[in-house]
Amino acid sequence: MSREDLFESLGLDRRRFLTVGALAAAAHVVGCQTPSAPAPEAQTDPASAPFDLAEVDLGALADGLGDGRYTSRSLVEAYLGRIEALNHRGPTLRAVIETDPKALEIADALDAERSQGTVRGPLHGIPILLKDNIATHDGTTTTAGSLALAGSKPTEDAFLAARLREAGAVLIGKANLSEWANFRSTRSSSGWSGRGGQCRNPYSLDRTPCGSSSGSGVAVAANMVAAAVGTETNGSIVCPSSHNGIVGLKPTVGLVSRTGVIPISSTQDTAGPMTRSVKGAAILLGAMAGADPKDPAGPAAAEHIHADYTQFLGDGDLSGVRLGVSRGHFGFDPNVDARMEEALAKFSELGAELVDPVELPGFQDLGDSSYQLMLYEFKAGLNEYFASLGDDAPIKSLDELIEWNQANADASMPYFGQEILEQAAEKGDLSDEAYLEARAKALRIMRKEGIDKVIAEHNLDAFVAPTNGPSWRIDLVNGDNFGGGSSTPAAVAGYPTITVPAGFVHGLPVGVSIFS
């Protein structure tokens, strides 16, 4: 029985399905036969109770706070209850590592501000979840999911976290992730961290949530929050967004500050919104974006920073828009291709002119230059982050991290090792000729000879391609089983991309990416 048939036989749509945690646990294998009703004991499970905020987006939450239907306290209480029900009991999604013990206190203060006539903006009083590589100076820790950093509390908020607080958001807690943002092992399982365990896809609990912003994607999909912040170096926002059926936006590098975000690559890293809708992403981006003098990429992006990105949302008319169909990113799954053809037909129906096909460089042109620059930048950036923690830092260098993992291997490396950490430790500094050549090559191929060139040749506004394939089965023995995807061009170039839901393949979500 397909997941769509399952929904029909039970009278459930996707929204109802995501509110019935016990049923999700029972039907965790795609295509399985499922009872027509939950078992009697499941009916009393908190995870199976109807959830009033299911599928409610940021805009609707802001409206409800404005007209008095909600208070910040009521939202925080509801989402904390949802996290408890689905994260540790019920389906045990393991999307959230920890919550801020002062979240309700913060919500009360924001409600008091509103009652006195002060509203900071559309996020005032709304709970937001941060990926656990974004520094916070509050009741939570910042660990990148690593046991080596357990208890680590940065001396100040990340720049973007401070901006969200200023906008009135309640930073409710930290989302699970692929440990060290999936830059630890070549055999890793997306969504696994030493602190958080294995995060699971709410559409099918034996399936990966993708990564590295795994918990952020799962939490939004399962209504633990209406919006979360993820980070991406290459695919870490768009892949979990696609696999969990939500919207994920990877902004231009520098538009959102990286100060206080545990790094991989100063060339490619960025944080971005993960939400239920494009409008929600625009609302969240408006609060996150800001010129940071400490971020080397900030000045170039400064002229593109806006307080309100919803002003750029259209009415659905794509007349005059030219979209290049990147066929080189198709062909890895006929079912995904079928969903993409439906998406292309919809773009055409809305008035877009499709230039089909266009050719973009791929991995064969890039070689390992992007990977090499990431190894160099990871070593330099991670050592700088450790130094920012001060004398009380539990780990003070990449070498110490490797040694700690080796000494605590049973706990920190039960399934896979740390080959990538070891490769990075062997690199020199950022003045090495090998690093400079790798960075120059990567940017030349994906910018000048890639996206920039093809846009100019075909007078394009953007490219479209499948984000990736459907979620694969979690495999802690062999690691991830990636199919195809299209995240690399925009990621390596430092350019923006967004993924939006494009339907289902055997009941599992897939997304279409638009990048430029």
Side-chain angles (χ1 to χ4, degrees):
M1 178 185 291
S2 73
R3 184 59 54 89
E4 291 86 349
D5 291 338
L6 174 63
F7 288 170
E8 184 176 355
S9 70
L10 295 173
L12 297 174
D13 60 12
R14 183 178 80 95
R15 296 175 180 176
R16 177 59 181 153
F17 177 76
L18 286 175
T19 70
V20 186
L23 180 58
H28 68 275
V29 179
V30 172
C32 71
Q33 297 291 330
T34 306
S36 59
E41 61 271 21
Q43 294 174 355
T44 60
D45 191 310
S48 67
F51 185 59
D52 291 340
L53 297 176
E55 304 286 306
V56 177
D57 197 26
L58 284 183
L61 290 181
D63 291 343
L65 285 163
D67 63 24
R69 280 177 290 151
Y70 309 130
T71 62
S72 182
R73 170 173 271 271
S74 73
L75 294 180
V76 171
E77 286 179 336
Y79 284 125
L80 287 175
R82 181 72 167 177
I83 290 168
E84 175 63 24
L86 297 187
N87 205 56
H88 306 297
R89 296 179 282 145
T92 60
L93 294 175
R94 296 190 178 276
V96 180
I97 287 181
E98 60 183 314
T99 55
D100 187 350
K102 293 187 176 181
L104 286 170
E105 180 182 326
I106 295 167
D108 287 340
L110 290 164
D111 282 335
E113 282 188 21
R114 185 182 291 273
S115 69
Q116 295 165 8
T118 299
V119 178
R120 304 186 190 188
L123 290 183
H124 187 112
I126 294 179
I128 302 292
L129 195 67
L130 299 183
K131 186 176 177 179
D132 185 40
N133 61 348
I134 300 171
T136 50
H137 185 64
D138 57 14
T140 62
T141 57
T142 304
T143 68
S146 173
L147 292 171
L149 286 187
S152 177
K153 293 193 175 184
T155 57
E156 59 183 7
D157 280 339
F159 187 92
L160 78 88
R163 285 192 59 82
L164 288 172
R165 290 195 206 275
E166 291 166 6
V170 181
L171 304 185
I172 195 172
K174 293 296 184 65
N176 199 5
L177 72 164
S178 309
E179 188 173 309
W180 296 111
N182 223 10
F183 210 66
R184 198 192 94 175
S185 172
T186 57
R187 298 173 66 87
S188 63
S189 172
S190 285
W192 185 91
S193 72
R195 287 196 66 218
Q198 179 63 58
C199 186
R200 299 180 179 277
N201 192 309
Y203 283 86
S204 185
L205 296 182
D206 65 337
R207 300 272 169 168
T208 182
C210 202
S212 62
S213 304
S214 312
S216 298
V218 170
V220 173
N223 299 294
M224 296 181 185
V225 284
V229 177
T231 67
E232 174 160 331
T233 305
N234 187 343
S236 287
I237 288 174
V238 296
C239 184
S241 296
S242 174
H243 278 197
N244 289 282
I246 64 171
V247 173
L249 172 62
K250 184 196 86 72
T252 303
V253 169
L255 191 70
V256 176
S257 168
R258 285 88 56 80
T259 302
V261 178
I262 298 176
I264 292 178
S265 166
S266 57
T267 298
Q268 296 179 202
D269 287 352
T270 184
M274 300 173 71
T275 59
R276 310 205 68 81
S277 70
V278 174
K279 181 178 180 181
I283 291 172
L284 187 51
L285 181 63
M288 294 171 60
D292 176 11
K294 294 182 180 179
D295 188 333
E303 64 182 279
H304 302 291
I305 292 172
H306 299 273
D308 179 14
Y309 287 91
T310 63
Q311 64 181 300
F312 301 111
L313 299 178
D315 59 2
D317 182 3
L318 297 182
S319 299
V321 174
R322 288 173 59 85
L323 298 176
V325 182
S326 182
R327 288 286 174 182
H329 292 106
F330 287 62
F332 58 86
D333 185 322
N335 295 305
V336 174
D337 286 350
R339 299 292 81 76
M340 292 307 106
E341 294 304 329
E342 293 168 359
L344 293 176
K346 186 65 177 178
F347 286 132
S348 292
E349 178 186 325
L350 294 172
E353 182 180 353
L354 301 182
V355 182
D356 188 3
V358 295
E359 296 295 329
L360 276 170
F363 284 110
Q364 68 276 13
D365 304 290
L366 193 61
D368 72 342
S369 56
S370 176
Y371 182 63
Q372 292 300 315
L373 81 84
M374 285 192 285
L375 290 173
Y376 275 96
E377 292 179 349
F378 181 65
K379 178 181 180 179
L382 195 57
N383 284 334
E384 183 178 346
Y385 177 79
F386 289 145
S388 76
L389 298 176
D391 294 338
D392 294 332
I395 299 292
K396 294 182 172 59
S397 70
L398 175 58
D399 288 338
E400 280 193 19
L401 172 62
I402 292 170
E403 292 171 4
W404 191 96
N405 283 337
Q406 290 170 340
N408 298 274
D410 288 348
S412 67
M413 299 190 292
Y415 303 113
F416 49 84
Q418 56 178 348
E419 315 89 83
I420 295 177
L421 300 186
E422 292 165 351
Q423 291 171 17
E426 294 173 357
K427 296 299 182 184
D429 60 32
L430 299 187
S431 65
D432 278 11
E433 190 64 29
Y435 162 70
L436 297 173
E437 289 178 357
R439 187 176 189 277
K441 179 181 178 181
L443 294 177
R444 171 176 54 81
I445 288 175
M446 286 306 177
R447 285 186 185 176
K448 184 178 179 181
E449 297 176 2
I451 291 175
D452 295 2
K453 179 181 179 181
V454 179
I455 283 179
E457 285 180 349
H458 297 282
N459 190 27
L460 299 177
D461 293 288
F463 300 87
V464 293
T467 305
N468 43 37
S471 174
W472 59 88
R473 291 184 187 274
I474 293 168
D475 187 346
L476 289 167
V477 176
N478 299 300
D480 287 335
N481 183 26
F482 285 103
S486 61
S487 65
T488 294
V492 175
Y495 290 167
T497 183
I498 189 169
T499 181
V500 297
F504 296 83
V505 170
H506 299 301
L508 297 169
V510 293
V512 58
S513 282
I514 306 160
F515 57 97
S516 191

